[in-house]
Amino acid sequence: MTTEATAEAPAPVTVPSSTGTAASSDTVAVGNGSEESGSAAPTLTVAFVGAGEVARIFAAGIAAHAGATGRIVRFRGFNAGRRNRPPYAADFRELNAQTGITLADTVAEAVAGADIVFSSVVADQAESTGLAIAEALGTGVVDEAGVAGSVSGASATDGASTMDGAANSGAAPLVIDLNATTPEAIRTVKAALDTAGARFVDASIMDTVPVFRMGVPLCISGDPEAIAAFTAADLGFTNVRDLQAEAGTASTAKVLRSVVMKALEASLVESFRAAEKAGILDVVADSVVATFDDMLGRTLVDDLVKSEMLHARRRAAEMEGAVSTLEDLGVSAFVSAGARDHLAHIAELMHDRTPVAPEATPAEAIRNLG
């Protein structure tokens, strides 16, 4: 990997003040690295490795929060997706520029001198991306002024930044991994970043970013020093849950949540494809929606979990029929076959156990399985 750090200075954009009015002396310039906004606020440099939708939403949120707290922020980004990768198309550069992100041509250029680095890529690229970030940061040097730069000679001012309580002069960069990857991959990346002298936070996004934006539920785990740096950075996230556990724990939570959410999505599509072929899509979809609407929140989870314990054997037989029906309609029964096998397994586990009482919690029902 090249270690050149020649990223161009990000173009300035303005961010409304906390009152939502037009830019004035109480706003900050985001992206230009200067301190000409009427305050002596320090500059924070944030890099996004993976300059997609999540990066743009978070950059906008961080910028808006900076506008309210009087800090100057500049953003760099790097992207290596199938469609958007160097050399970037003009429309992709413009899309990122709208939130103050200036795109770099290499990971090393993007992270050189950064106070905070976000990694946000597709799951199967998460580990290799984290290792690339570690490699780029590991080639960095700290000059006598305490400013991180690149071995190949990035200017000291390009990466200069100070952040109250978090990334002060000479502090190790903070890498925040947002990827939906495995705990094992997270631990591998953390080890590489430890060697590179960076601090690392395992941060799992637990809902939909375009919907909740900076209020998206975020679980974090990692070394106490790294967690403290993340908290002190005050980036504007409003729904953060510190698991007070080692890196990899937040990713475990994300993966296990995905077992539910992705399987639910897959089961809906599997069912609805077959219903469309049978000419009854509206009937099936309306029934499912009505059931979900009637069983909102914890009641839904309670009913589904405890009901399975009581009726697993009968439902396994029902899903055997579902598999046959789907196959007859020409739809692959991936989810339904798995559900059938799962229910048969639960039925065996429940064979010599007494079902929990109706008032039991889902956790008590799960623990009853042993």
Side-chain angles (χ1 to χ4, degrees):
M1 170 181 293
T2 177
T3 58
E4 292 182 357
T6 57
E8 59 187 300
V13 297
T14 56
V15 179
S17 69
S18 58
T19 62
T21 59
S24 64
S25 61
D26 62 350
T27 65
V28 295
V30 177
N32 63 3
S34 69
E35 297 188 5
E36 299 176 355
S37 59
S39 75
T43 300
L44 172 68
T45 301
V46 178
F48 292 96
V49 180
E53 183 180 36
V54 168
R56 292 189 292 273
I57 290 173
F58 285 172
I62 292 168
H65 188 65
T69 56
R71 287 184 296 178
I72 299 168
V73 187
R74 57 185 173 185
F75 302 104
R76 298 200 201 101
F78 170 78
N79 205 73
R82 287 183 299 173
R83 291 180 299 174
N84 299 307
R85 57 190 307 123
Y88 307 107
D91 59 348
F92 185 68
R93 287 187 181 276
E94 175 59 25
L95 186 63
N96 280 278
Q98 289 172 8
T99 50
I101 300 174
T102 296
L103 294 174
D105 290 331
T106 67
V107 171
E109 290 176 13
V111 306
D115 298 289
I116 295 175
V117 179
F118 285 97
S119 177
S120 179
V121 295
V122 296
D124 62 359
Q125 298 297 313
E127 183 174 335
S128 60
T129 297
L131 295 177
I133 293 170
E135 179 182 348
L137 294 176
T139 62
V141 295
V142 177
D143 65 18
E144 293 180 357
V147 177
S150 158
V151 169
S152 61
S155 67
T157 57
D158 182 60
S161 62
T162 304
M163 181 171 58
D164 294 342
N168 46 43
S169 182
L174 177 66
V175 179
I176 303 169
D177 193 303
L178 299 171
N179 300 303
T181 190
T182 65
E184 181 181 4
I186 287 292
R187 287 189 284 268
T188 298
V189 170
K190 180 184 183 299
L193 286 163
D194 286 347
T195 300
R199 295 172 291 184
F200 179 78
V201 171
D202 171 21
S204 287
I205 297 169
M206 304 297 282
D207 217 311
T208 307
V209 172
V211 173
F212 295 98
R213 306 184 76 81
M214 296 302 280
V216 70
L218 203 64
C219 285
I220 60 173
S221 63
D223 296 337
E225 180 190 4
I227 298 298
F230 175 86
T231 301
D234 187 23
L235 298 174
F237 294 103
T238 61
N239 191 0
V240 179
R241 182 175 181 178
D242 179 5
L243 302 184
Q244 299 183 339
E246 66 181 2
T249 307
S251 290
T252 300
K254 172 68 172 181
V255 168
L256 297 183
R257 180 183 187 275
S258 294
V259 170
V260 176
M261 303 311 297
K262 273 53 176 184
L264 175 60
E265 295 166 4
S267 64
L268 288 171
V269 172
E270 186 170 285
S271 170
F272 290 177
R273 285 186 66 209
E276 170 66 16
K277 290 179 179 292
I280 51 173
L281 176 57
D282 290 345
V283 175
V284 176
D286 289 348
S287 176
V288 170
V289 170
T291 297
F292 282 4
D293 286 347
D294 289 341
M295 300 168 62
L296 293 178
R298 187 163 296 279
T299 300
L300 173 62
V301 176
D302 283 356
D303 288 350
L304 292 179
V305 171
K306 292 188 291 187
S307 177
E308 173 163 313
M309 309 305 168
L310 291 171
H311 305 295
R313 189 170 300 281
R314 174 175 61 80
R315 290 177 177 175
E318 181 180 336
M319 291 309 296
E320 179 64 44
V323 170
S324 297
T325 301
L326 286 161
E327 291 174 346
D328 288 345
L329 289 167
V331 175
S332 298
F334 299 113
V335 180
S336 297
R340 173 200 60 197
D341 297 342
H342 164 77
L343 285 162
H345 177 63
I346 296 299
E348 289 300 316
L349 292 177
M350 288 298 299
H351 179 70
D352 58 354
R353 288 177 173 81
T354 302
V356 296
E359 63 273 15
T361 66
E364 288 170 336
I366 292 296
R367 294 187 186 109
N368 185 50
L369 289 174

